[in-house]
Amino acid sequence: MNFFRSQTMGYYKLIIPRESAWNVMNELAELDCIHFVDYDPTLPMINRPFANYIKRCDDLLVKLSLIEHEMKKYQKRITYCKDVNFLIKNFKQLIKERSKASHTYLDEIENDIDKKHQQLIEQSTNMENLHERRNKLIEHKSVLLKGEALLGQSFFQPANYVAEGFVNLQGKELDDIKILQGSVKFNYLVGVINKEDQIRFKRIIFRITKGNAWMNTMDIESDQIVDTKNDDAKIIKSVFVVVYPGGGGSNVITNKLNKICESFQVAKYTFPENNMVFQEKLRQIETELVETRNLLEMTKNQVEAYLDDFQRIYQNSNCSQIEELKLFLVKEKYLYTQLNYLRVQGSVLYGSIWLPQGADIKVDQALREGLPTGQLQISPPEGTRPPPTFFETNEVTWGFQEIVNTYGMPRYKEINPGLFTVMTFPFLFGVMFADIGHGFCLLLLGIYLCVYNKEIKDMLQLSDIWLLMMGFWAFYNGWIYNDFMSVPINLFGSCYEPGTVDDPIHKDEQVWVQKDQSCVYPFGIDPVWMCVPNELTFMNSYKMKLAVIIGVIQMSFGIILKGINAIYFKNWIDFIFEFIPQLTFFICSFGWMDFLIIYKWFVNWTGKTDQAPSIITLMINMILAPGKPVDPPLWGDGQSEASTQTALLLIALFCIPIILLPKPLIINSQNKKHHAQSASNLTESMNKDLYQKINEDSEGTQEISEVHTEQSGGGGHHEEFGDIFVHQVIETIEFVLGSISNTASYLRLWALSLAHGQLAEVFFQMCLNGGISSGGFVGAIRLLIGYSIFSMATFGVLMMMDVMECFLHALRLHWVEFQSKFFKADGYAFEKCSYAKVMQDNAVPKEE
């Protein structure tokens, strides 16, 4: 049973001639059944023989990612691969049709990608340069047009412009300055600045010139200048004109303004001095703009032509060329990574592999028939590392196995907790989330994902079976609790009916009388219990006891699985001195408590509720007052019950030293015998060597002594008795105290169910009950508004937050309370060499 325990693994030696290493590895990676053993995990990949090939693949993948970025920039649609197995067959056929060596196909792809990447880089660089040139021309044109609007036609008059009585010009309009011929000349500064720097630029100009400069700006249309790095981004700039006094050879203000422009990275332009030069310059810029736009269009068409080659789907392919190249490089990189796990010796590569039982026939057939240069030899494992763990999973078991693997990989041939998690995980979730309505919503979502919407499931990476089974058990347990969003359902007819009270003091109180003493509600809890004053007390007691019973059963099952593991591995010490006393201790303590709960349920306490004993009191007195007669008794006169509890207590206490002492003593004795046996074998071996070299000189005798010292010091390492005993003390304390804390931890089944039910009841009472009770038009309006709030609160709190909360608590119960009883979780996964897996992981799903 491959899901109950790991598949049986075989250890093999693989020998491959170096000249056919690519062909052999390419064939083996398609089998999806080989785990390569790294001959030296401490050796960096960069120091391995095929590291150069891996680096080449990485460089090419980086270039393809840049090309893909350009394709997205130009809105080229990429068809991604959805069937990697078809692509693998396509690669194999393509390489087979070539007349060259198989591994040289990477060289062809490398040359092709390098050539196209270089061409694309050149064209992209030209595009950027042309965009910059276009932006400069647009800026220059805007300077001429906006500058003319700001300075006016009087600027082109052939005269020296002066101002009479020139004072502070800041804040004045240019037309307000009286232009006369005199002794003060004006200079101007024209340029383009980013709009976001405009205000700071004005302030600094004002401070530097002390207000003796006139400045005005006009924005350039936002759709004219584009960002050279991103065509979709628009840059907003403004044309500025600064007029300031600076004639007579004085250039102090000019130097300051130039420094300010440099700090702001302002583009400065020269404004023509007469109208003729102005018009000529304007025509020249228009001509250059037309030429630049034409060059831009031509360059863009060339770039798109290059990108169209990568977008195209070629014959016998199921994806775009760029995706096909990327997945081929991923495949090649993976192939050389696996080859790096093999040791190179001369012209031969050899290494070790793990194979599942029966896979050796398939591998050997591939090597002997298709690739006769490879050899496969059975070999005993090297070192002490156990085989890897491998389980065959399907769509149902995959998600639950991932829950187990997240905590730890099962040890080789250890019982797999995932088999039981398939049922227990959704069941415990359902106990906490028990509600007919909410569970049915989860069930419908799970069915929808299973049947109709595979795309959403793949996009969310969500196991539809999880939701289906969690919804089913929440729906089922909702019927057990008879809870439909805090409202009970009287499906089979209640066994109770309204009655009267003879006491005049309590005559107004509602009482329920059982119709027939033999009447039992067919399924779940009678709905009348949701209408009585002691509803919360009854439901809390029921759910609390049910949680403890479920917890003790699951933990007892975990201890039994530990015993099955011990029998399978023939570890009789663990079976006799751990499994038997641990199970006995647990049954005599908490198993007894479950027995008391169930026995009490079978007793009819009608009319004698004051004589019903408390289970908590019974368990406390069992420890604090052993032998004392039970009063009130659960059965008999109380003495037999007390004697039974005393006997169980003594048996449980007797089990503790059995768990603690025998195992470390026996292991220490076995270690001493093994050490003595090893020393005896070593002495016999050294005596034989001594007789063979008895006639050699003293130097030879010294060599024998050195060999003896090295061998006797290199014997097997065994733990000291102190370490073994301390470890067993920790194990014993953890089990005994953990039995108490773990049992209490299962009360979260009751707590989460209580919280869910109370939240549902609060939402119903606060949102819907008022509208239902009011009736009429006002009640309808209140009900409509309340239902909207009720729906949002139910979805956000119960269907989202509470689902996650119950999921996490069910996860905790499996990882800590259940699996800790038998699960070592110190194995490592069987990582099969698979093209399909690595290519699927790198294939990008894309919504159409």
Side-chain angles (χ1 to χ4, degrees):
M1 189 174 181
N2 293 332
F3 197 59
F4 183 66
R5 296 187 189 275
S6 171
Q7 289 195 33
T8 303
M9 292 289 160
Y11 191 78
Y12 297 86
K13 289 288 187 181
L14 182 66
I15 303 173
I16 309 173
R18 185 161 186 170
E19 62 271 11
S20 59
W22 191 96
N23 293 325
V24 174
M25 184 59 69
N26 185 62
E27 195 72 22
L28 295 179
E30 294 181 7
L31 300 178
D32 294 354
C33 63
I34 302 175
H35 175 102
F36 283 90
V37 179
D38 192 352
Y39 74 93
D40 186 4
T42 62
L43 183 65
M45 277 292 176
I46 196 173
N47 295 334
R48 303 196 183 216
F50 297 97
N52 183 48
Y53 291 93
I54 297 176
K55 185 178 183 302
R56 288 169 58 189
C57 293
D58 285 333
D59 293 340
L60 293 175
L61 286 170
V62 171
K63 293 177 181 179
L64 285 180
S65 66
L66 295 175
I67 295 173
E68 186 176 3
H69 174 73
E70 289 294 320
M71 294 181 68
K72 293 179 179 178
K73 179 179 176 181
Y74 285 89
Q75 298 181 352
K76 297 295 181 180
R77 179 177 175 271
I78 301 175
T79 303
Y80 293 96
C81 181
K82 296 183 178 180
D83 185 4
V84 295
N85 292 316
F86 175 84
L87 200 58
I88 292 172
K89 294 178 181 178
N90 186 32
F91 289 152
K92 190 173 183 179
Q93 183 65 26
L94 180 64
I95 293 174
K96 186 178 180 181
E97 293 174 354
R98 297 172 68 252
S99 58
K100 301 178 182 179
S102 301
H103 66 276
T104 59
Y105 188 53
L106 177 62
D107 301 332
E108 295 181 8
I109 288 181
E110 184 177 28
N111 294 332
D112 186 47
I113 293 177
D114 286 341
K115 180 181 177 181
K116 291 183 177 180
H117 177 262
Q118 184 62 33
Q119 292 173 345
L120 188 61
I121 290 297
E122 291 176 359
Q123 295 297 333
S124 298
T125 304
N126 292 337
M127 285 280 291
E128 291 183 8
N129 294 335
L130 289 172
H131 274 301
E132 290 180 1
R133 182 184 175 188
R134 175 178 173 274
N135 289 342
K136 291 294 183 182
L137 291 172
I138 292 176
E139 288 179 4
H140 200 171
K141 179 182 177 182
S142 300
V143 165
L144 295 178
L145 297 177
K146 306 295 183 183
E148 182 185 18
L150 291 171
L151 296 174
Q153 290 293 329
S154 59
F155 181 81
F156 299 112
Q157 295 178 6
N160 294 326
Y161 298 105
V162 297
E164 181 181 8
F166 179 80
V167 290
N168 194 315
L169 299 179
Q170 191 67 28
K172 300 180 182 298
E173 295 294 336
L174 192 63
D175 296 338
D176 296 337
I177 301 174
K178 185 177 181 181
I179 305 298
L180 296 171
Q181 297 211 359
S183 58
V184 180
K185 292 184 177 181
F186 285 91
N187 291 333
Y188 67 91
L189 181 65
V190 183
V192 177
I193 189 172
N194 290 335
K195 186 173 179 60
E196 58 185 14
D197 298 329
Q198 181 178 310
I199 296 178
R200 291 191 299 119
F201 187 71
K202 278 186 176 182
R203 290 175 179 173
I204 294 178
I205 292 291
F206 177 81
R207 292 171 183 172
I208 291 297
T209 62
K210 298 181 180 179
N212 294 319
W214 176 86
M215 178 179 174
N216 206 344
T217 59
M218 290 186 70
D219 293 342
I220 302 175
E221 286 74 9
S222 59
D223 59 339
Q224 293 191 11
I225 301 178
V226 298
D227 190 352
T228 57
K229 304 298 182 182
N230 185 4
D231 292 343
D232 296 331
K234 303 297 180 181
I235 301 176
I236 302 177
K237 291 190 175 184
S238 301
V239 175
F240 69 87
V241 176
V242 180
V243 180
Y244 59 94
S250 174
N251 59 357
V252 176
I253 297 179
T254 302
N255 293 336
K256 291 181 179 180
L257 291 177
N258 288 333
K259 291 181 179 179
I260 294 172
C261 292
E262 291 176 1
S263 64
F264 278 86
Q265 297 180 350
V266 167
K268 297 181 294 181
Y269 295 91
T270 303
F271 203 80
E273 297 182 356
N274 58 69
N275 193 35
M276 183 180 298
V277 177
F278 175 84
Q279 297 297 333
E280 180 65 26
K281 190 67 175 178
L282 199 59
R283 285 192 295 269
Q284 180 184 351
I285 292 174
E286 285 287 355
T287 303
E288 293 181 3
L289 267 175
V290 172
E291 294 177 356
T292 305
R293 289 192 182 100
N294 293 335
L295 288 174
L296 271 173
E297 190 66 25
M298 293 173 57
T299 308
K300 182 178 180 181
N301 292 336
Q302 292 179 357
V303 172
E304 290 190 348
Y306 285 124
L307 298 179
D308 286 339
D309 289 339
F310 288 101
Q311 179 189 10
R312 189 174 295 110
I313 301 176
Y314 289 94
Q315 189 177 6
N316 297 328
S317 181
N318 61 351
C319 59
S320 297
Q321 177 71 0
I322 188 171
E323 180 72 0
E324 184 176 343
L325 291 173
K326 184 183 76 171
L327 293 180
F328 179 80
L329 292 173
V330 168
K331 167 183 167 294
E332 287 292 293
K333 178 183 176 182
Y334 184 72
L335 183 147
Y336 287 112
T337 301
Q338 299 300 313
L339 285 176
N340 273 335
Y341 293 151
L342 306 179
R343 190 190 299 271
V344 178
Q345 186 173 3
S347 60
V348 175
L349 276 71
Y350 67 95
S352 304
I353 61 175
W354 289 105
L355 293 177
Q357 189 177 29
D360 54 335
I361 300 175
K362 183 167 57 173
V363 175
D364 189 64
Q365 183 179 1
L367 291 174
R368 296 184 184 278
E369 295 181 4
L371 303 161
T373 54
Q375 297 181 19
L376 187 67
Q377 300 175 352
I378 300 178
S379 174
E382 298 175 355
T384 58
R385 194 178 190 193
T389 302
F390 177 54
F391 301 108
E392 289 185 356
T393 58
N394 52 36
E395 191 174 354
V396 176
T397 59
W398 168 80
F400 299 101
Q401 187 62 47
E402 285 299 311
I403 291 178
V404 175
N405 294 347
T406 303
Y407 179 79
M409 180 60 62
R411 181 183 291 182
Y412 179 66
K413 288 298 182 181
E414 183 181 35
I415 291 177
N416 180 23
L419 178 64
F420 314 104
T421 305
V422 172
M423 289 303 298
T424 58
F425 184 87
F427 174 74
L428 293 185
F429 173 89
V431 172
M432 292 181 281
F433 196 74
D435 190 286
I436 299 173
H438 302 148
F440 186 67
C441 292
L442 277 184
L443 182 62
L444 285 181
L445 179 59
I447 294 174
Y448 177 74
L449 292 177
C450 284
V451 178
Y452 296 107
N453 210 329
K454 186 177 183 298
E455 289 77 12
I456 292 180
K457 181 187 69 175
D458 293 339
M459 179 181 66
L460 299 177
Q461 293 295 308
L462 183 67
S463 177
D464 47 7
I465 302 298
W466 280 8
L467 287 176
L468 180 66
M469 298 184 69
M470 291 191 302
F472 170 78
W473 285 112
F475 180 70
Y476 171 82
N477 284 288
W479 283 106
I480 296 294
Y481 294 161
N482 201 351
D483 189 358
F484 182 86
M485 299 184 182
S486 78
V487 178
I489 298 178
N490 191 8
L491 187 63
F492 303 105
S494 175
C495 291
Y496 294 84
E497 59 184 1
T500 57
V501 181
D502 296 333
D503 188 356
I505 299 178
H506 304 284
K507 64 179 180 178
D508 295 331
E509 294 183 2
Q510 177 70 53
V511 296
W512 297 88
V513 180
Q514 192 171 6
K515 299 176 182 177
D516 185 2
Q517 292 295 328
S518 61
C519 180
V520 178
Y521 197 72
F523 187 79
I525 295 178
D526 195 306
V528 75
W529 285 103
M530 307 297 175
C531 307
V532 296
N534 62 336
E535 170 208 352
L536 192 59
T537 303
F538 170 77
M539 293 303 296
N540 277 347
S541 175
Y542 170 73
K543 292 181 179 180
M544 189 185 303
K545 293 173 182 177
L546 187 64
V548 171
I549 292 173
I550 293 174
V552 171
I553 291 174
Q554 188 176 27
M555 289 188 290
S556 300
F557 181 65
I559 299 174
I560 293 173
L561 293 179
K562 179 177 184 177
I564 297 175
N565 273 334
I567 294 174
Y568 181 85
F569 292 113
K570 295 182 173 54
N571 191 343
W572 304 114
I573 297 177
D574 284 356
F575 182 82
I576 297 174
F577 298 107
E578 280 195 349
F579 163 66
I580 294 178
Q582 284 180 0
L583 183 61
T584 304
F585 173 85
F586 200 75
I587 295 299
C588 291
S589 53
F590 298 99
W592 171 250
M593 180 177 64
D594 279 5
F595 170 78
L596 294 178
I597 293 173
I598 297 173
Y599 186 89
K600 184 178 178 181
W601 279 349
F602 276 92
V603 177
N604 187 358
W605 299 100
T606 304
K608 49 180 180 179
T609 54
D610 56 334
Q611 300 178 14
S614 170
I615 302 297
I616 297 178
T617 304
L618 290 176
M619 295 303 298
I620 293 174
N621 291 335
M622 177 180 175
I623 299 174
L624 299 182
K628 182 179 178 181
V630 178
D631 186 26
L634 193 59
W635 72 81
D637 57 356
Q639 186 59 48
S640 59
E641 184 179 347
S643 301
T644 304
Q645 292 191 156
T646 303
L648 293 175
L649 177 63
L650 293 176
I651 294 173
L653 294 177
F654 179 72
C655 290
I656 296 176
I658 295 179
I659 300 173
L660 175 63
L661 298 175
K663 182 178 177 179
L665 294 174
I666 294 174
I667 293 177
N668 184 57
S669 176
Q670 290 178 345
N671 289 343
K672 288 182 178 179
K673 289 181 180 179
H674 185 271
H675 183 72
Q677 184 66 30
S678 300
S680 176
N681 294 338
L682 183 62
T683 302
E684 293 178 2
S685 176
M686 292 306 302
N687 287 337
K688 291 180 181 179
D689 293 340
L690 185 62
Y691 284 127
Q692 291 175 1
K693 299 184 179 183
I694 193 66
N695 296 325
E696 294 184 2
D697 55 10
S698 58
E699 183 179 355
T701 305
Q702 183 180 359
E703 291 176 357
I704 294 174
S705 176
E706 291 175 355
V707 172
H708 176 73
T709 303
E710 291 177 2
Q711 292 184 355
S712 51
H717 173 72
H718 299 288
E719 288 185 287
E720 297 293 335
F721 174 73
D723 296 335
I724 299 173
F725 185 76
V726 169
H727 177 75
Q728 191 64 23
V729 169
I730 295 173
E731 290 282 343
T732 305
I733 295 175
E734 181 180 359
F735 176 78
V736 174
L737 297 183
S739 299
I740 303 172
S741 62
N742 292 346
T743 303
S745 182
Y746 273 91
L747 292 176
R748 70 186 68 239
L749 299 175
W750 153 66
L752 268 294
S753 176
L754 173 66
H756 183 95
Q758 292 300 303
L759 283 172
E761 184 176 356
V762 168
F763 293 156
F764 180 83
Q765 294 292 336
M766 300 295 293
C767 300
L768 300 180
N769 192 46
I772 296 174
S773 302
S774 300
F777 178 76
V778 176
I781 297 298
R782 291 182 60 184
L783 187 62
L784 181 63
I785 298 174
Y787 181 75
S788 302
I789 301 175
F790 174 80
S791 301
M792 291 186 292
T794 299
F795 178 78
V797 178
L798 296 178
M799 298 304 298
M800 298 295 289
M801 294 175 59
D802 199 42
V803 166
M804 180 60 66
E805 186 179 14
C806 294
F807 180 91
L808 294 176
H809 282 282
L811 203 63
R812 146 76 194 228
L813 290 176
H814 281 79
W815 281 356
V816 179
E817 278 70 32
F818 174 57
Q819 293 178 183
S820 64
K821 298 296 182 290
F822 68 99
F823 187 41
K824 299 298 183 183
D826 57 357
Y828 65 101
F830 175 83
E831 298 178 358
K832 59 183 178 181
C833 177
S834 171
Y835 281 154
K837 182 178 183 301
V838 70
M839 290 172 65
Q840 187 64 48
D841 292 342
N842 286 272
V844 182
K846 189 75 173 179
E847 290 296 327
E848 298 295 337

